[in-house]
């Protein structure tokens, strides 16, 4: 029983982390048709900035249990970089996908150097702050309460995003733009503005996600590349551009990984990419993706 | 007048060309007038960025001291720094340093993947190359039997051998089940296998209850820790390093894995200041490799360097600084020995030959360059304590071993050496 709970909790926690990275990737691709490799960099930037902000706040006398709102706020503040990067991406909107990939990969490398300039090569972390909220036990398994908060936070973000896209007027406009950009533009929608909003939203998902998760891990220069590789497994399984796909893909990857680690650790990566290959063979558009026309 | 001016310009131009060509042709009289150029190839980004940065400080400290004392055999040292990345690009940078920057020596290299690939290229280019922390081993097997220009650091397995010996020394009879969590590449796998081989050698009966192989850079180790906890080992051996280690330690602490389990971390010194007391307990076997910054009997040189490093970085150095310092001082010793023997500026071949057998007082203690171009250095590990002025653990009990006890002799097979070596605990 404990082994099952371990797999479940470990898997869902990892899925929550992956969802936060993949969600930004999905919404940007869904509407703007840009495969944004820099989504991992936004996540890393959020993690670094979150560590710095919370460290400052604690030195300024912030009670440790209030660090979470500060972390979230630090991620939201980084929304300012969204419109700047989106302006840069306008140069490749109508060009071949390889230009988009090259530009966003260049951003990954540039962000890595920027982070190294400001924070140095040493990993940054928040000590044992993750234990401020204590831990919970379930079936003989101990888990920090903060990990439960990360899981709950990811679910909340998924619900809010789902509600926003499905039930609000602006969400419908976004979906319409994703379906048929030319028609939406012809109906008077300012698509340029939509692009800025969507890219900023994708950026914030990454930066808030990175800040939110960093107390459980660390901010390091290579985390952007590490995460984006896993995030791509998520979107291939879930379907490129689908938020439901991001959620399903993250759960599949998280649980497969946790099960492999518990049962036969050598299969940790193999198990994930086996699923990716199976999905590509049996359902190339992913579990929730739309088949190419 | 015009003709005279043209003649004068032509003469000055010819002289300039000749002057510029002389160093290329290797005229020693001109060559000695320019500073010695040392090329450094070190990682500055990615998982090994923190290691490269620390090593560079060791090099800068060495060069400042050398230049302040009049240079190497009378020539000042200047550095040309390049970045270590993947093997292909790093070899390109070696080529650039040798052909374009015309460096006299190349030092650096942290990744064994890069150093293994670079060894033959450096030999082919006749580039005197001294590795900080890379080897030319494929796994544990030496690939360069008789290098002429390449000098490498101690075997990567030294730290695992020492940690294993300390486990036997301090904890024999106190554990029956063991588990490992080691990085998923040859270093992690060899360390884990060496640990088990040494336990067998010393007659310790044990059962392996779990093995975990996270890939380097994994920052969510929740499931790995849960699997280790479920296996209930008496002792865990882990060669985790880089950012993964503090993440593991914190995750293990919050999951209650620390309670009732002994830990041995042969390579933890790379991240020593990131392993905070609040989640890193006392009583662990903890490796600092060839530099323990807080050694109570540290020599004046080490104390001076630790103060220098702390002043520049507000941090405390790990062993990469020592490796870099050792490389520079071994080169200096080789040049000066060859220059003294020849009473003229020596060739690269003469310097390389002179470096064989040189002894160097490095930051962490005495070291020597073996005749087969493999370094010997002093290693430090011990048992952690919280009784110090820092926010991270240091060593309460410090064990010191010289690498002749920890690495295979020239030409030996590592696994056979473990079986037959007369190792003192």
């Amino acid at each position: 029983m404990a082994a099952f709970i371990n797999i479940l909790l470990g898997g869902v926690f990892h899925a929550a982390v992956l969802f936060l990275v993949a969600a930004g990737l999905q919404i940007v691709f869904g509407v703007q048709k840009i495969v944004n490799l820099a989504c991992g960099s936004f996540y890393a930037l959020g993690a670094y900035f979150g560590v710095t902000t919370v460290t400052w706040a604690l030195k300024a006398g912030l009670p440790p249990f209030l660090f979470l709102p500060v972390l979230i706020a630090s991620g939201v503040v980084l929304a300012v970089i969204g419109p700047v990067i989106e302006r840069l991406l306008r140069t490749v909107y109508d060009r071949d996908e390889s230009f988009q990939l090259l530009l966003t990969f260049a951003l990954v490398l540039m962000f890595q150097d920027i982070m190294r300039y400001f924070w140095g090569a040493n990993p940054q972390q928040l000590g044992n702050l993750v234990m401020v909220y204590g831990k919970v036990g379930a079936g003989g398994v101990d888990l920090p309460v903060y990990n439960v908060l990360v899981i709950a936070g990811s679910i909340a973000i998924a619900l809010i995003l789902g509600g926003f896209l499905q039930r609000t007027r602006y969400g419908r406009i976004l979906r319409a733009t994703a379906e048929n950009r030319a028609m939406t533009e012809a109906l008077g929608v300012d698509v340029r503005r939509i692009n800025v909003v969507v890219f900023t939203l994708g950026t914030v998902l990454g930066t808030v996600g990175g800040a939110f998760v960093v107390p459980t891990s660390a901010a390091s220069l290579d985390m952007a590349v590490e995460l984006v590789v896993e995030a791509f497994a998520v979107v291939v399984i879930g379907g490129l551009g689908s938020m439901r796909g991001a959620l399903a893909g993250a759960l599949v990857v998280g649980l497969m990984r946790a099960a492999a680690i518990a049962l036969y650790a050598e299969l940790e990566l193999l198990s994930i990419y086996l699923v990716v290959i199976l999905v590509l063979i049996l359902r190339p558009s992913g579990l929730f993706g739309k088949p190419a026309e | 007048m015009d003709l005279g001016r043209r003649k004068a310009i032509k003469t000055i131009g010819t002289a300039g060309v000749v002057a510029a060509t002389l160093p290329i042709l290797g005229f020693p009289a001109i060559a000695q007038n320019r500073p010695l150029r040392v090329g450094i190839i070190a990682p500055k980004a990615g998982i090994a960025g923190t290691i490269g940065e620390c090593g560079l400080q060791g090099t800068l400290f060495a060069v400042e001291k050398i230049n302040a004392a009049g240079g190497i055999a009378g020539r000042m040292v200047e550095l040309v720094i390049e970045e270590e990345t993947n093997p292909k690009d790093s070899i390109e940078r070696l080529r650039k340093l040798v052909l374009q920057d015309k460096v006299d020596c190349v030092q650096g290299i942290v990744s064994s993947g890069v150093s293994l690939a670079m060894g033959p290229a450096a030999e082919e280019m006749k580039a005197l190359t001294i590795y900080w922390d890379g080897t030319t081993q494929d796994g544990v097997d030496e690939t360069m039997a008789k290098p002429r220009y390449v000098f490498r650091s101690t075997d990567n397995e030294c730290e695992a051998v020492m940690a294993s010996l300390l486990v036997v020394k301090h904890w024999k009879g106190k554990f029956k089940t063991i588990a490992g969590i080691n990085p998923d590449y040859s270093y992690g796998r060899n360390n884990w296998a060496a640990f088990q081989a040494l336990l067998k050698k010393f007659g310790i009966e044990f059962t392996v209850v779990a093995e975990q192989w996270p890939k380097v850079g994994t920052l969510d180790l929740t499931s790995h820790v849960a699997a280790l906890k479920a296996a209930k080992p008496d002792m865990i051996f882990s060669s985790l390093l880089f950012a993964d280690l503090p993440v593991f330690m914190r995750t293990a602490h919050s999951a209650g894995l620390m309670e009732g389990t002994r830990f041995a971390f042969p390579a933890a010194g790379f991240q020593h200041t990131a392993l905070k007391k609040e989640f890193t307990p006392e009583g662990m076997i903890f490796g600092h490799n060839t530099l323990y910054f807080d050694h109570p009997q540290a020599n004046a040189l080490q104390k001076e360097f630790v103060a220098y490093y702390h002043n520049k970085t507000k941090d405390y150095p790990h062993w990469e600084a020592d490796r870099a310092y050792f490389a520079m001082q071994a080169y200096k010793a080789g040049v000066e020995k060859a220059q003294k023997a020849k009473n003229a500026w020596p060739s690269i071949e003469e310097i390389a030959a002179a470096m064989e057998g040189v002894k160097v007082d490095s930051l962490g203690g005495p070291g020597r360059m073996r005749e087969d171009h493999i370094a010997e250095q002093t290693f430090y590990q011990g048992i952690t304590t919280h009784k110090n002025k820092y926010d991270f653990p240091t060593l309460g009990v410090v064990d010191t071993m010289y690498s002749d006890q920890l690495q295979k002799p020239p030409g030996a097979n590592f696994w056979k050496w473990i079986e037959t070596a007369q190792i003192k605990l």
Side-chain angles (χ1 to χ4, degrees):
Chain A
M1 185 61 186
F4 176 73
I5 293 173
N6 270 332
I7 293 171
L8 194 65
L9 290 178
V12 172
F13 175 72
H14 195 67
V17 175
L18 285 178
F19 173 75
L20 291 170
V21 186
L25 184 69
Q26 295 288 61
I27 197 161
V28 168
F29 181 81
V31 177
Q32 295 176 270
K33 308 300 175 205
I34 292 262
V35 180
N36 180 24
L37 294 176
C39 65
S41 301
F42 298 148
Y43 183 91
L45 192 64
Y48 273 108
F49 194 61
V51 171
T52 300
T53 313
V54 168
T55 306
W56 281 344
L58 290 175
K59 277 185 187 163
L62 179 87
F65 68 93
L66 286 179
F67 83 91
L68 182 55
V70 175
L71 266 182
I72 304 294
S74 73
V76 172
V77 165
L78 288 173
V80 293
I81 62 170
V84 180
I85 306 287
E86 192 278 335
R87 179 66 190 82
L88 189 65
L89 288 173
R90 279 184 209 171
T91 56
V92 293
Y93 278 155
D94 298 321
R95 301 182 75 171
D96 189 79
E97 281 166 6
S98 55
F99 285 95
Q100 301 174 1
L101 288 171
L102 277 174
L103 182 60
T104 56
F105 186 63
L107 287 171
V108 171
L109 299 178
M110 287 165 69
F111 270 112
Q112 195 178 58
D113 270 2
I114 290 167
M115 289 183 282
R116 183 173 58 182
Y117 179 80
F118 283 106
W119 287 282
N122 282 327
Q124 303 290 310
Q125 54 173 342
L126 282 170
N128 213 25
L129 208 54
V130 70
M131 293 304 288
V132 159
Y133 303 124
K135 54 185 177 181
V136 285
V141 176
D142 288 330
L143 192 74
V145 169
Y146 194 83
N147 286 28
V148 180
L149 287 177
V150 169
I151 295 169
S154 286
I155 294 170
I157 286 170
L159 290 174
I160 291 168
L161 267 178
F164 168 68
L165 291 171
Q166 297 293 330
R167 296 175 191 275
T168 66
R169 184 172 175 276
Y170 205 81
R172 280 194 286 275
I173 292 173
L174 289 189
R175 284 189 290 126
T177 310
E179 288 289 328
N180 193 327
R181 171 179 296 262
M183 178 61 79
T184 317
E185 204 160 17
L187 290 171
V189 173
D190 184 353
V191 173
R192 181 176 280 202
R193 188 184 165 85
I194 294 277
N195 284 339
V196 175
V197 170
V198 166
F199 196 81
T200 305
L201 183 59
T203 306
V204 168
L205 280 169
T207 53
V208 169
F212 193 30
V213 177
V214 76
T216 69
S217 64
S220 74
L221 292 175
D222 48 313
M223 69 192 298
V225 176
E226 291 292 331
L227 275 164
V228 88
V229 170
E230 265 192 291
F232 268 94
V234 168
V235 299
V236 168
I237 293 169
L240 195 55
S242 160
M243 292 303 287
R244 282 180 194 163
L247 196 59
L251 275 171
V252 170
V253 170
L255 290 170
M256 284 295 290
R257 178 178 176 272
I261 288 168
L263 302 173
Y264 194 73
E266 309 277 353
L267 297 180
E268 179 187 341
L269 289 178
L270 182 71
S271 62
I272 295 169
Y273 292 101
L274 208 59
V275 178
V276 169
I277 291 168
L278 280 176
V279 169
L280 284 173
I281 293 169
L282 301 174
R283 197 176 161 83
S285 55
L287 300 178
F288 290 89
K290 288 182 181 170
E293 289 170 7
Chain B
M1 280 298 283
D2 266 349
L3 190 65
R5 196 160 57 232
R6 273 190 205 134
K7 260 189 179 175
I9 290 168
K10 198 174 172 184
T11 309
I12 292 165
T14 309
V17 169
V18 170
T21 314
L22 284 177
I24 299 170
L25 297 174
F27 281 71
I30 300 280
Q32 284 178 66
N33 290 335
R34 71 169 176 84
L36 269 178
R37 289 188 135 190
V38 177
I40 303 290
I41 307 179
K44 290 194 275 180
I47 53 170
T50 174
I51 299 167
E53 299 276 0
C54 185
L56 279 173
Q57 293 301 327
T59 297
L60 292 173
F61 179 71
V63 170
E64 282 178 26
K65 284 188 88 66
I66 287 169
N67 284 346
I72 296 179
R75 290 171 65 183
M76 296 293 117
V77 177
E78 68 177 33
L79 300 174
V80 185
I81 299 171
E82 288 289 341
E83 184 148 8
E84 176 185 346
T85 50
N86 59 50
K88 180 183 161 292
D89 292 349
S90 301
I91 290 172
E92 280 304 315
R93 284 167 199 143
L94 170 77
R95 196 163 284 130
K96 181 242 173 200
L97 284 172
V98 173
L99 300 177
Q100 198 173 313
D101 299 313
K102 305 197 184 308
V103 297
D104 299 279
C105 173
V106 176
Q107 297 174 21
I109 308 300
V110 164
S111 155
S112 293
V114 174
S115 59
L116 178 63
M118 189 179 278
E123 284 288 309
E124 197 180 306
M125 279 185 260
K126 298 184 177 175
L128 184 59
T129 305
I130 312 167
Y131 293 156
W132 288 352
D133 211 354
T135 75
T136 44
Q137 290 189 152
D138 180 7
V140 292
D141 299 325
E142 183 53 56
T143 60
M144 295 179 75
K146 288 180 182 169
R148 194 169 179 195
Y149 300 94
V150 174
F151 293 80
R152 74 159 171 89
S153 62
T154 55
D155 290 355
N156 288 333
E157 295 72 38
C158 285
E159 57 206 21
V161 171
M162 183 164 179
S164 309
L165 296 176
L166 295 192
V167 167
V168 176
K169 179 181 168 184
H170 295 295
W171 296 340
K172 189 173 183 178
K174 294 178 180 169
F175 64 91
K176 285 184 178 167
T177 55
I178 64 168
I181 175 163
N182 294 282
D184 192 13
Y185 65 108
S186 66
Y187 166 77
R189 289 185 180 266
N190 290 333
N191 279 3
W192 176 233
F195 172 59
Q196 294 176 72
L198 281 155
L199 291 186
K200 282 178 192 159
K201 179 184 175 77
F202 286 93
I204 293 177
E205 288 182 13
F206 61 90
T207 307
V208 177
V209 291
E211 290 182 346
Q212 289 294 324
W213 303 104
K215 74 182 171 69
V216 176
T218 304
L219 294 182
D220 171 19
L221 294 162
T222 315
S223 297
H224 301 83
V225 166
L228 289 174
K229 197 181 176 208
K232 296 188 175 70
D234 298 327
M235 209 228 103
I236 293 175
F237 178 93
S238 173
S239 306
L240 288 180
L241 58 177
F242 308 126
D244 320 24
L245 182 57
V247 173
F248 169 75
M249 205 72 90
R250 198 172 46 239
T251 310
H253 178 261
S254 60
L257 182 62
M258 305 290 188
E259 293 146 25
T261 310
R262 296 172 193 277
F263 284 87
F265 292 98
F270 261 157
Q271 294 291 337
H272 61 142
T273 59
L275 298 168
K276 305 300 181 192
K277 283 177 181 170
E278 49 202 348
F279 55 84
T280 309
E282 296 184 294
M284 311 169 112
I285 288 175
F286 195 103
H288 280 278
N289 206 285
T290 58
L291 178 68
Y292 173 45
F293 81 100
D294 199 36
H295 198 298
Q297 281 90 45
N299 59 31
L301 179 70
Q302 177 177 321
K303 284 179 182 163
E304 185 188 346
F305 175 68
V306 171
Y308 167 94
Y309 189 91
H310 189 255
N311 189 37
K312 284 180 86 173
T313 66
K314 306 292 173 231
D315 202 354
Y316 296 98
H318 54 68
W319 75 80
E320 207 58 41
D322 169 73
R323 300 301 188 87
Y325 184 90
F326 175 80
M328 189 63 78
Q329 292 294 353
Y331 176 62
K332 177 177 184 287
V335 171
E336 292 180 345
K337 185 176 156 192
Q339 203 256 2
K340 196 175 172 187
K342 191 180 180 184
N343 205 21
W345 194 259
S347 66
I348 284 179
E349 288 75 14
E350 287 164 340
I351 294 169
M355 280 179 64
E356 294 174 3
V358 292
K359 290 182 178 174
V360 167
D361 278 327
S362 192
L363 298 175
R368 176 179 172 270
M369 192 57 82
R370 272 185 357 195
E371 283 68 17
D372 62 348
H373 294 201
I374 297 174
E376 285 190 327
Q377 290 201 256
T378 312
F379 280 70
Y380 304 94
Q381 297 193 5
I383 295 183
T384 52
T385 179
H386 285 181
K387 294 183 184 75
N388 60 42
K389 61 181 178 182
Y390 312 105
D391 64 348
F392 54 90
T394 50
L395 301 184
V397 177
V398 185
D399 285 281
T400 306
M401 292 183 85
Y402 195 61
S403 57
D404 60 350
Q405 288 287 298
L406 304 171
Q407 76 178 341
K408 61 184 184 296
N413 172 277
F414 177 68
W415 304 113
K416 281 186 183 154
W417 170 74
I418 283 185
E419 281 174 20
T420 57
Q422 300 295 312
I423 301 173
K424 287 176 277 182
L425 283 177

